[in-house]
Amino acid sequence: MGSNSSRIGDLPKNEYLKKLSGTESVSENDPFWNQLLSFSFPAPTSSTELKLLEEATISVCRSLVVNNPRTGNLGALIKVFLSRTKELKLSAECQNHIFIWQTHNALFIICCLLKAFICEMSEEELQLHFTYEEKAPGSYSSDSEDLLEELLCCLMQLITDIPLLDITYEISVEAVSTMVVFLSCQLFHKEVLRQSISHKYLMRGRCLPYTSKLVKTLLYNFIRQEKPPPPGAQILPQQSEGGGLLYGLASGVATGLWTVFTLGGVGSKAAASPELSSPLANQSLLLLLVLANLTDAADAPNPYRQAIMSFKNTQDSSPFPSSIPHTFQINFNSLYTALCEQQTSDQATLLLYTLLHQNSNVRTYMLARTDMENLVLPILEILYHVEERNSHHVYMALIILLILTEDDGFNRSIHEVILKNITWYSERVLTEISLGSLLILVVIRTIQYNMTRTRDKYLHTNCLAALANMSAQFRSLHQYAAQRIISLFSLLSKKHNKVLEQATQSLRGSLSSNDVPLPDYAQDLNVIEEVIRMMLEIINSCLTNSLHHNPNLVYALLYKRDLFEQFRTHPSFQDIMQNIDLVITFFSSRLLQAGAELSVERVLEIIKQGAVALPKDRLKKFPELKFKYVEEEQPEEFFIPYVWSLVYNSAVGLYWNPQDIQLFTMDSD
C-alpha cells in the first residue's frame, strides 16, 4: 500500500502497513497517513483471491491487535477519517477526486480491520481498542470513550448527507458495508444477540436522531438501483509530467478492487445477477434488513423497525401522529415499481414481506393498485421454481400471498386480470388465463411438490390457507385450474387410502408379534385427513358462494364424482360432504335427462342453466373460510439468522471464513 502499487502477496511486507500495526505510535497529524492512503493494487476477481487477501493481511491485523493498546494507531486512523469526512460534502461539490479517494481508502482500511477484529474478539474487547490512548500504554480516558459512537454517527451522516455522484459512489457503498460489519458480531454467536454495544449506540444517543433519515436513504438507494460509475469515471487529470504519485490510481476505485471487495466472496453470484447490478442498492437493502431485525432494547423498541412500520406516501397529506416517532414520507409508486422488479433476490422478497406485514400504509396502497399482476407474477414465479429456491425464499413468497389473500378486494380483482402467454409455466401452454386461476395453479403445484419432496406441514398449511381465503371469490376458473383442484383432491384421496391400508396391515401384524414397534400411522392419517377436510371446505366454499361463476369446477367435479363416494359416510367429512353431494346429484340428474354422448360445450351449457335453477336454500351454510398470517412468538429466532445468511452470501465487506460463523449452518439451503 502507500503511493506504490502493490500485489496481494506483497501486503505482509508493506512498510506502511507494518508501521500502522507496529510498536510506534503515529500521530493523527503525521504525513504518514497521506502516504498510507495513496494506494492501489490489482483487483481480486474471485472469492479465492479475496481469501488470499485476508490470509495475506492476517499477520498485519494480529500485530495491530497486540500493539494497538500501546500505540493507539487504530484510534488515530479513525480520527484521520473523521476529520476528513467533515470536508467530504464540500469535496464532492468541488469534484476533489484525490480527497474523496483517500477518504475512501481510509474507510476501506477501517472496514477491513473492523472485520478482522470482530472475528477475533468480543465487543467489549473491541470497544477497548477504540479507547486506547497513544501516550499512556494500555490506558484510556473519558474524552475518547465515544470514538466508536462517533464513527457510527459519522457513517450515518455520510450515507444520508453526501450527494450520490460518480466520485462518491464507492465511498457510499463502503460506508453502508462498514455499518453492516459493525453489526456482524451476530455472525459469531449461535444465539440471537439481545444486548449489544453496537445496538446500544444505534438505538440511543447521538445516532438516534438519524434513524428516519437513514431508513429513508437506504430505501431510496434500493429504489434507484444506481449502477457503479463506468470505467474511467474517476481517473484523475494529469497534474504534471508522469502524473505524480496519484495519477491513474483512482481509476481502479470505481470498478476494480472496491467493487469486488464489497460484492465478492463465498456464495456470491455473478455481477450480472439482478440483485448485484447495483452494489449500493444491494448493500443498502441488506443493512436495512439488519437494522429492522435488531432486537428491542430493554427500555425501548427498535427505532428502525418503528420507522419501517410507520412511513407514509409522499401524496399522503395527513399529519404525522405525535405518538409515532421516526416516521417520514417516501414515494410509494417508485417503491412499488422497485419491489416488482427485484423479486428475484431473497432480500427484496423479505423487504416486501416486512412492508406488507408491518406497514399498514404500504399494504393499503398495494392492495389498491390496479396493476397487482406486476407484483404477484414475480412471487408466483418464485413458487413455481421451488426446486431452485431455498426454503426461506419460498416461505416468504407464500406468506406474502397469504397476506394478500386476506383482502376480499384482492381476491375479486385477480380474477378480472387476464394474462396471455405465461412463458415460464411449462406444464401446459397457457395462452390466456386469469391471474386468479394462475395463482391457484401455482399454489396447487407447490402443495404437490411438497407432498412428494419436503413434506413440510407448515408449507401445506399456508398453501391451503391462501386457497381457502380465495375460495369464496373464485370467478370464471380456467378449466385447467378447475381440473388441478380436483386432481389434488384425487392425489390426497389415494394417499389417504394408502396410509389407511398400511395402518390396517400394521395392526394385523402386531397381533402376531408384540416385539416390533409400530409406525405412527395414526398421526399420518390424522394429518392427511386434516388436509382432505381443508380441500373439501375450499370446494364447498366455492360452490356455496360462487357456483354460477364456475361451471368448469362443476364440470371437473362431475367428471371425477366417484372420488367423493368414500367420504360421504366418513365421520370426519360427513357434514361438509352434504353440499358437495347435493351439487353432484343435482347436476348428474340434469345431465342424465339431457341424454347420452354430450359434447363438452353442451355439458357446460347444461351446468350454466342448472346453476340458475339450483335451490340455494338447500345448501348448508358454513362459517366463512378466513385465515390470517400470524407471526411466530419469537420471530427473531427465524429472521435474524435468515438476514445474516443473506449478508454472508453477499460477502458484505470482505470474505467471511465459514469456520468462524456460529449463527447458522453454512451447508443448509
Side-chain angles (χ1 to χ4, degrees):
M1 289 190 176
S3 58
N4 296 318
S5 296
S6 305
R7 293 175 300 166
I8 289 177
D10 296 333
L11 291 180
K13 304 172 186 176
N14 184 280
E15 58 180 298
Y16 298 99
L17 290 179
K18 288 172 75 174
K19 185 172 181 179
L20 172 67
S21 61
T23 57
E24 176 189 348
S25 294
V26 184
S27 166
E28 59 194 273
N29 300 315
D30 196 301
F32 160 79
W33 299 109
N34 281 333
Q35 298 168 320
L36 172 70
L37 301 179
S38 300
F39 65 83
S40 175
F41 52 80
T45 57
S46 67
S47 60
T48 302
E49 292 180 7
L50 285 164
K51 184 178 180 182
L52 290 174
L53 173 68
E54 181 175 271
E55 292 173 346
T57 53
I58 283 177
S59 60
V60 173
C61 292
R62 288 179 177 169
S63 179
L64 185 63
V65 168
V66 172
N67 294 323
N68 188 64
R70 291 185 293 275
T71 65
N73 285 346
L74 176 62
L77 171 61
I78 290 169
K79 288 175 184 177
V80 169
F81 169 73
L82 293 175
S83 67
R84 284 172 169 268
T85 56
K86 294 172 184 175
E87 302 175 45
L88 201 56
K89 192 171 183 179
L90 180 62
S91 298
E93 293 170 357
C94 298
Q95 296 283 305
N96 189 335
H97 292 248
I98 294 177
F99 188 90
I100 293 172
W101 171 57
Q102 288 190 326
T103 306
H104 169 273
N105 287 354
L107 181 55
F108 176 74
I109 295 174
I110 290 169
C111 186
C112 292
L113 293 174
L114 272 176
K115 188 264 177 184
F117 275 47
I118 287 170
C119 288
E120 295 290 330
M121 63 187 67
S122 67
E123 274 194 305
E124 290 75 17
E125 292 172 306
L126 177 65
Q127 189 178 36
L128 287 176
H129 278 275
F130 273 80
T131 57
Y132 289 133
E133 287 294 335
E134 298 174 14
K135 296 179 181 178
S139 67
Y140 63 95
S141 59
S142 59
D143 63 349
S144 63
E145 284 182 356
D146 291 328
L147 191 59
L148 176 56
E149 182 180 24
E150 192 173 348
L151 179 56
L152 272 171
C153 195
C154 175
L155 291 172
M156 295 174 84
Q157 289 176 310
L158 198 160
I159 294 167
T160 57
D161 294 346
I162 301 301
L164 188 58
L165 309 169
D166 278 359
I167 59 172
T168 61
Y169 187 94
E170 292 303 326
I171 196 169
S172 296
V173 174
E174 203 63 52
V176 174
S177 298
T178 305
M179 280 201 69
V180 178
V181 170
F182 251 121
L183 294 163
S184 65
C185 291
Q186 179 63 85
L187 278 171
F188 307 98
H189 290 78
K190 290 182 179 179
E191 71 285 352
V192 170
L193 286 180
R194 301 185 184 278
Q195 291 183 331
S196 166
I197 293 171
S198 54
H199 294 189
K200 180 187 70 175
Y201 282 127
L202 287 170
M203 292 191 186
R204 53 173 63 89
R206 295 174 56 192
C207 293
L208 189 60
Y210 289 93
T211 296
S212 58
K213 198 172 182 181
L214 178 62
V215 171
K216 182 176 182 178
T217 301
L218 295 174
L219 275 172
Y220 267 127
N221 287 345
F222 167 71
I223 288 169
R224 290 169 180 150
Q225 294 290 317
E226 292 282 354
K227 292 179 171 56
Q234 294 188 358
I235 293 180
L236 303 176
Q238 188 167 351
Q239 302 297 322
S240 61
E241 186 175 352
L245 293 177
L246 302 177
Y247 174 68
L249 295 183
S251 63
V253 174
T255 56
L257 174 64
W258 318 126
T259 300
V260 178
F261 271 140
T262 51
L263 293 181
V266 172
S268 64
K269 299 176 183 178
S273 300
E275 66 270 30
L276 298 186
S277 62
S278 170
L280 182 59
N282 187 60
Q283 308 296 72
S284 295
L285 178 52
L286 289 169
L287 176 57
L288 183 66
L289 293 171
V290 169
L291 292 172
N293 286 281
L294 296 179
T295 53
D296 294 334
D299 55 349
N302 177 348
Y304 304 94
R305 188 183 301 124
Q306 284 185 315
I308 287 171
M309 290 172 64
S310 60
F311 70 82
K312 302 193 303 182
N313 194 354
T314 48
Q315 297 180 354
D316 187 346
S317 57
S318 61
F320 290 113
S322 57
S323 59
I324 303 178
H326 313 301
T327 192
F328 59 90
Q329 288 180 294
I330 202 167
N331 188 306
F332 276 16
N333 183 60
S334 300
L335 177 61
Y336 179 81
T337 301
L339 286 167
C340 292
E341 292 174 350
Q342 299 300 318
Q343 287 307 304
T344 50
S345 74
D346 276 72
Q347 45 265 44
T349 305
L350 182 53
L351 176 63
L352 174 58
Y353 158 78
T354 302
L355 295 177
L356 277 174
H357 178 50
Q358 298 186 357
N359 190 312
S360 59
N361 300 320
V362 172
R363 184 168 62 252
T364 300
Y365 173 85
M366 287 188 176
L367 288 169
R369 295 282 303 203
T370 57
D371 59 348
M372 278 298 289
E373 67 272 17
N374 292 336
L375 187 69
V376 175
L377 281 172
I379 298 300
L380 294 182
E381 197 167 353
I382 292 169
L383 291 175
Y384 186 79
H385 295 113
V386 59
E387 304 93 337
E388 303 167 17
R389 304 291 180 182
N390 68 66
S391 60
H392 288 8
H393 200 181
V394 172
Y395 280 140
M396 289 299 102
L398 190 54
I399 292 169
I400 286 167
L401 287 185
L402 181 55
I403 293 171
L404 292 174
T405 61
E406 291 172 15
D407 183 77
D408 284 341
F410 171 83
N411 294 331
R412 285 191 296 271
S413 65
I414 56 175
H415 292 288
E416 297 168 2
V417 177
I418 304 302
L419 308 169
K420 295 182 183 293
N421 299 317
I422 308 301
T423 55
W424 48 261
Y425 193 95
S426 59
E427 272 89 344
R428 177 166 172 159
V429 176
L430 299 176
T431 55
E432 187 172 287
I433 190 171
S434 72
L435 179 60
S437 289
L438 181 64
L439 195 158
I440 292 167
L441 285 175
V442 173
V443 170
I444 287 176
R445 184 179 185 276
T446 306
I447 293 173
Q448 291 180 321
Y449 174 83
N450 186 49
M451 287 176 64
T452 57
R453 304 284 184 87
T454 57
R455 301 184 181 182
D456 186 328
K457 184 180 178 182
Y458 181 81
L459 197 69
H460 266 338
T461 302
N462 284 281
C463 285
L464 291 168
L467 289 177
N469 285 347
M470 295 169 58
S471 59
Q473 307 293 337
F474 284 171
R475 293 290 187 277
S476 304
L477 288 183
H478 191 281
Q479 61 178 16
Y480 186 52
Q483 290 171 15
R484 298 310 296 160
I485 291 172
I486 304 304
S487 294
L488 176 58
F489 185 81
S490 174
L491 186 64
L492 292 167
S493 176
K494 291 176 182 176
K495 191 171 183 64
H496 177 269
N497 292 340
K498 183 178 180 181
V499 173
L500 192 61
E501 183 181 348
Q502 288 173 335
T504 304
Q505 291 177 350
S506 178
L507 186 62
R508 288 172 183 162
S510 67
L511 297 176
S512 58
S513 174
N514 295 324
D515 299 329
V516 181
L518 293 176
D520 193 358
Y521 289 115
Q523 184 177 353
D524 291 345
L525 200 60
N526 184 54
V527 170
I528 194 68
E529 287 185 355
E530 283 181 12
V531 177
I532 288 175
R533 170 80 191 189
M534 193 88 159
M535 281 301 301
L536 288 172
E537 288 178 341
I538 289 167
I539 295 169
N540 177 70
S541 175
C542 177
L543 295 178
T544 54
N545 289 285
S546 55
L547 181 146
H548 56 293
H549 290 298
N550 292 292
N552 283 326
L553 181 63
V554 177
Y555 182 97
L557 197 65
L558 293 171
Y559 190 74
K560 293 285 187 177
R561 72 192 81 176
D562 293 344
L563 283 175
F564 299 89
E565 288 288 341
Q566 62 179 307
F567 300 109
R568 283 181 177 176
T569 57
H570 195 292
S572 298
F573 314 117
Q574 203 167 15
D575 58 335
I576 202 76
M577 276 299 303
Q578 290 179 26
N579 286 343
I580 297 173
D581 196 33
L582 174 65
V583 169
I584 290 174
T585 303
F586 176 82
F587 284 99
S588 295
S589 173
R590 294 183 73 90
L591 290 175
L592 194 61
Q593 293 172 13
E597 297 184 6
L598 300 173
S599 66
V600 173
E601 292 77 13
R602 177 59 182 149
V603 172
L604 287 171
E605 184 183 339
I606 293 170
I607 290 172
K608 291 174 184 177
Q609 294 170 352
V612 179
L614 179 70
K616 304 293 192 298
D617 56 339
R618 290 176 58 190
L619 294 173
K620 182 181 177 181
K621 294 294 181 183
F622 286 86
E624 184 182 8
L625 292 178
K626 273 298 171 189
F627 294 87
K628 287 183 69 70
Y629 167 67
V630 179
E631 204 167 62
E632 297 293 326
E633 289 184 9
Q634 290 187 307
E636 64 270 14
E637 300 291 344
F638 171 85
F639 286 103
I640 290 177
Y642 180 28
V643 168
W644 279 104
S645 71
L646 298 179
V647 171
Y648 178 94
N649 286 315
S650 285
V652 173
L654 286 171
Y655 164 83
W656 297 100
N657 188 343
Q659 295 177 347
D660 296 333
I661 306 305
Q662 297 294 315
L663 184 63
F664 53 90
T665 305
M666 294 316 304
D667 58 1
S668 64
D669 286 333

